Amino acid sequence: KLKGGVLMILTVPQTLKLLQISRTTLYRMFENGELKKVKLSKSARAIRVQLPIELEQQYSEQIKALN
C-alpha cells in the first residue's frame, strides 16, 4: 500500500509500458501470481493491475511520470 493506504492500480497499457513487457507476459504473470488482476466489471476492457509494493518502490519515478 502507498501512503494513506492507497493501492497502486494501473491500466494494462500503463503496466505494459512501465514494465516493458508484452501483453502475453502480463497475462502469464497474472497466472503465476506475480501480479494481481483487478476487474472493475465483466468487461475485458475494465481490467486493471495491482502492483506489488516491491514494484511500486522500484518504479516509483516512472509511475509518477505516467500520470
Side-chain angles (χ1 to χ4, degrees), residues 10-32 34-35 37 43-49:
L10 299 174
T11 64
V12 168
Q14 287 174 326
T15 305
L16 298 178
K17 182 177 180 179
L18 178 69
L19 301 180
Q20 297 181 347
I21 59 174
S22 69
R23 190 172 293 271
T24 302
T25 299
L26 176 66
Y27 280 85
R28 191 174 310 123
M29 293 175 82
F30 287 149
E31 289 174 18
N32 294 336
E34 297 173 64
L35 292 175
K37 184 190 312 183
S43 168
R45 292 184 162 272
I47 293 173
R48 299 294 185 267
V49 182

Side-chain angles (χ1 to χ4, degrees), residues 1-9 51-53 56-57 60 63:
K1 292 183 178 184
L2 294 176
K3 295 175 187 172
V6 178
L7 296 173
M8 177 55 62
I9 306 290
L51 289 184
I53 189 71
E56 286 181 38
Q57 292 170 345
S60 63
I63 290 170

